[in-house]
Amino acid sequence: MKKTYKLLIALIASGSLMVSCHDDLDQTPIDPDSFTEENVFATVDDAKGALTKLYASLALTGQEGPAGDADISGIDEGTSQYTRMLFSLNELTTDNAVVGWGDPGLPNLHAMTWGASNDFTTAMYYRLAQEVSFCNSFIEKAASLSDNAEVASFIAEARFLRAFAYYNLIDFYSDVPLVTIVSTDLPEQNTREEIFNFIETELTEIETELKESGANEYGRVDRVAAWALLSKLYLNAEVWTSEAKYTEAVTYANKVINSSYSINTTDANGNGTAYDELFLADNDTNGAQNEFIFAVNFDGNNSRTYGGTTFLVHAAIGGSMEPAAFGVNGGWAGLRTTSGLVEKFDDAITTSDENGNPTAWSDARAMFYTDGQEYEINTIANTFTDGYAVTKFTNIDSQGNAGSDEGGDFVDTDLPLIRVAEIYLNYAEAVARGGAGGDLGTAAGYINELRARANATTISQSDLTLDFILDERARELYWEGQRRTDLVRFGYFTSGSYVWPFKGGAKNGTGVDDFRNLFPLPSNIVLINTNLTQNPGY
């Protein structure tokens, strides 16, 4: 099913996904052949084709495959892909990752010195604004067919994707315009709380309009995705709105956990753990797909991009690593991790080198390459061997075969944005923070399921402190676009009480000003739209 849907995404997106990169959340597709044309929605099949573009916008970057006709200007096309920028903003800014490249604005992310004209914070705003624009256009044009039950479910999916875009926008930028119609007017600015309430309302309204759990085709969302996003939303409510909603987070985590989705326990490649199957080239069929509530689909032949998992695999290969072992033709020698992540696995060390640095672990989630790599980072720029490499993502399937692109350039592996393991951890954190409707014993049981899958030791209920849960989130979810949001929620992102190598630009790490908990609105947007007020500090 995935390959068919991926092909549909590729064919439709490459055919007419044109957008004008406007300077605010009023972007509208302008190509006359785009899905804003009235007759595109003459049939259910036409509406489904237009819906596919909303998903494609999260996976692809333009009209000519990986490069050549970008839909966002001002930044390298491959860099502008949604999940690649999610990694840049939510992982590179933390203890989970560094990158050795010198692209303008990129070194500022880990050093936490970005400004209002930073290419990466600006491009992410544009990417999310484009998704909102596409969703608004689809919802408006599909309304004429809304009496059809199938099209009604398409509209619900579009509303979910719009809510997901706004979830990202308030996470990264806080107060942004709330735009739900196609318009060229300069919009007013809304508060984070107003948009939080909009997301909450949208997701609760579409619960029953989305398909039943597991009833949609792979790669598209059903009502469980709405429950999962509500769980994430409520977990962050206290930080984002000053009103705790941990009971609600527990409620919706329970709904997800009791759905047809489940953590993957299939050891398809026979290596003694079912964790790595989540990040293999056939993770749409090897059992991992049952854990993926919402994932971005990639295909090495039919949906090519220099973002996505192509980025995560190639950019993490360098030094003495063999690209063929990861199913690709070469490494970009960029991404590594810091000792701040590696030390989260200290209780699972089985082997160390002559300097006492770990080289092997019993916890299967400790997917690090250490041969020729330094444990501590002395130089980030152009020194791939400073810092352990990460081997979590690969273009090899569970039978040991490389992905479908015979040239080895582009990767098949899908990237989960929300999976059941995260919801287990949401449940545990919400209960630990006082949410009703759950208990710590059950939470410990869920975390032990994750740890057992990875061959990690069992914990007891008394181990479930908030700091333990944060560390467990790091162990389970690193490099999946979660870390900055987690650290902000725990009060550690800017704090001097929790530092990592080169945090704040200091080798041993240092705290930074609290305004860094948010990214700036793009400076050119603020200049053009006088309705907007820039975030403090920028």
Side-chain angles (χ1 to χ4, degrees):
M1 183 70 78
K2 178 179 83 170
K3 300 306 179 187
T4 301
Y5 195 63
K6 280 186 174 179
L7 180 58
L8 181 61
I9 287 177
L11 291 175
I12 291 175
S14 64
S16 62
L17 184 56
M18 301 291 289
V19 66
S20 170
C21 191
H22 290 262
D23 287 321
D24 221 315
L25 279 172
D26 60 348
Q27 299 182 44
T28 56
I30 61 171
D31 182 74
D33 296 322
S34 76
F35 64 80
T36 59
E37 190 175 353
E38 294 267 355
N39 62 12
V40 168
F41 296 88
T43 69
V44 173
D45 286 344
D46 288 340
K48 183 177 180 180
L51 174 69
T52 305
K53 292 186 179 183
L54 309 186
Y55 289 97
S57 182
L58 298 178
L60 305 178
T61 57
Q63 286 62 253
E64 294 186 4
D69 193 3
D71 50 32
I72 289 178
S73 61
I75 191 171
D76 172 77
E77 181 176 341
T79 301
S80 75
Q81 190 268 333
Y82 165 71
T83 64
R84 180 166 174 174
M85 286 194 296
L86 181 66
F87 183 93
S88 294
L89 299 192
N90 255 7
E91 299 290 343
L92 281 179
T93 56
T94 75
D95 48 348
N96 277 0
V98 298
V99 65
W101 307 326
D103 307 49
L106 187 58
N108 301 97
L109 296 180
H110 193 80
M112 305 179 83
T113 57
W114 56 79
S117 298
N118 182 275
D119 288 349
F120 296 85
T121 61
T122 296
M124 180 57 122
Y125 187 97
Y126 283 155
R127 178 63 64 189
L128 294 168
Q130 174 186 270
E131 180 72 355
V132 170
S133 171
F134 285 176
C135 291
N136 286 341
S137 181
F138 178 88
I139 292 165
E140 180 179 298
K141 299 301 180 181
S144 62
L145 294 175
S146 60
D147 288 342
N148 180 286
E150 190 71 3
V151 175
S153 71
F154 295 166
I155 293 172
E157 289 179 59
R159 291 173 67 184
F160 171 88
L161 293 170
R162 183 175 62 183
F164 179 76
Y166 270 115
Y167 171 92
N168 282 259
L169 282 162
I170 63 170
D171 180 12
F172 292 135
Y173 308 102
S174 186
D175 298 353
V176 299
L178 177 58
V179 180
T180 60
I181 61 173
V182 176
S183 172
T184 58
D185 295 335
L186 292 176
E188 300 289 334
Q189 190 168 21
N190 292 83
T191 66
R192 197 184 222 178
E193 184 175 1
E194 287 171 336
I195 299 173
F196 181 102
N197 292 338
F198 168 78
I199 297 168
E200 179 184 30
T201 299
E202 284 288 283
L203 294 174
T204 53
E205 285 183 359
I206 64 175
E207 277 186 73
T208 57
E209 297 173 20
L210 290 165
K211 291 190 175 182
E212 295 277 0
S213 176
N216 215 342
E217 58 190 318
Y218 179 85
R220 292 170 53 197
V221 297
D222 57 32
R223 62 187 57 181
V224 180
W227 300 338
L229 188 54
L230 280 165
S231 171
K232 290 164 66 73
L233 184 73
Y234 290 135
L235 195 64
N236 290 289
E238 187 169 20
V239 171
W240 291 355
T241 71
S242 300
E243 181 182 357
K245 290 183 176 289
Y246 299 115
T247 295
E248 292 88 339
V250 172
T251 296
Y252 280 93
N254 272 326
K255 289 169 77 75
V256 174
I257 292 167
N258 292 323
S259 75
S260 64
Y261 291 86
S262 60
I263 67 165
N264 176 52
T265 56
T266 302
D267 179 16
N269 61 2
N271 70 345
T273 174
Y275 181 74
D276 62 327
E277 269 72 17
L278 298 168
F279 313 105
L280 298 179
D282 60 345
N283 59 355
D284 62 315
T285 59
N286 65 16
Q289 75 275 11
N290 299 317
E291 183 167 336
F292 294 171
I293 298 166
F294 182 33
V296 179
N297 293 357
F298 298 102
D299 186 288
N301 284 325
N302 296 314
S303 56
R304 294 181 165 184
T305 173
Y306 289 115
T309 47
T310 291
F311 162 72
L312 289 174
V313 174
H314 280 280
I317 297 171
S320 62
M321 301 171 75
E322 291 290 340
F326 298 87
V328 293
N329 60 9
W332 301 348
L335 301 177
R336 300 97 72 195
T337 193
T338 78
S339 56
L341 173 60
V342 180
E343 68 187 12
K344 301 294 188 294
F345 296 94
D346 277 357
D347 66 349
I349 296 171
T350 58
T351 306
S352 299
D353 63 17
E354 63 275 11
N355 297 315
N357 297 319
T359 57
W361 300 260
S362 56
D363 190 326
R365 300 172 297 184
M367 303 174 79
F368 305 120
Y369 184 89
T370 65
D371 188 15
Q373 303 292 127
E374 297 293 332
Y375 179 72
E376 294 289 356
I377 298 172
N378 291 304
T379 304
I380 293 179
N382 302 316
T383 312
F384 183 83
T385 53
D386 269 21
Y388 282 3
V390 171
T391 62
K392 183 169 181 174
F393 294 92
T394 179
N395 193 35
I396 298 291
D397 68 19
S398 54
Q399 304 306 309
N401 303 309
S404 62
D405 175 22
E406 292 183 358
D409 288 309
F410 301 101
V411 172
D412 285 346
T413 311
D414 293 344
L415 182 59
L417 296 176
I418 310 175
R419 56 187 177 92
V420 174
E422 178 194 350
I423 306 305
Y424 276 14
L425 292 159
N426 288 1
Y427 176 97
E429 182 182 336
V431 169
R433 291 185 184 276
D439 64 86
L440 287 175
T442 301
Y446 289 150
I447 288 180
N448 277 329
E449 285 186 46
L450 302 181
R451 293 177 65 83
R453 172 171 69 177
N455 300 320
T457 57
T458 300
I459 64 161
S460 64
Q461 180 177 323
S462 62
D463 293 319
L464 278 187
T465 65
L466 284 172
D467 280 347
F468 176 88
I469 293 169
L470 178 63
D471 287 351
E472 193 68 13
R473 290 183 71 93
R475 286 184 283 266
E476 180 70 28
L477 301 171
Y478 67 93
W479 282 34
E480 296 180 49
Q482 304 268 6
R483 185 61 171 167
R484 173 196 147 274
T485 307
D486 289 348
L487 290 173
V488 169
R489 188 171 64 255
F490 277 77
Y492 290 149
F493 184 61
T494 59
S495 172
S497 66
Y498 181 75
V499 297
W500 52 83
F502 291 93
K503 177 179 181 177
K507 181 178 179 181
N508 294 322
T510 188
V512 299
D513 291 334
D514 284 343
F515 74 82
R516 298 284 177 192
N517 283 317
L518 292 174
F519 294 113
L521 299 174
S523 58
N524 57 340
I525 289 178
V526 176
L527 287 173
I528 291 168
N529 187 353
T530 57
N531 297 325
L532 302 182
T533 300
Q534 180 61 275
N535 285 329
Y538 300 105

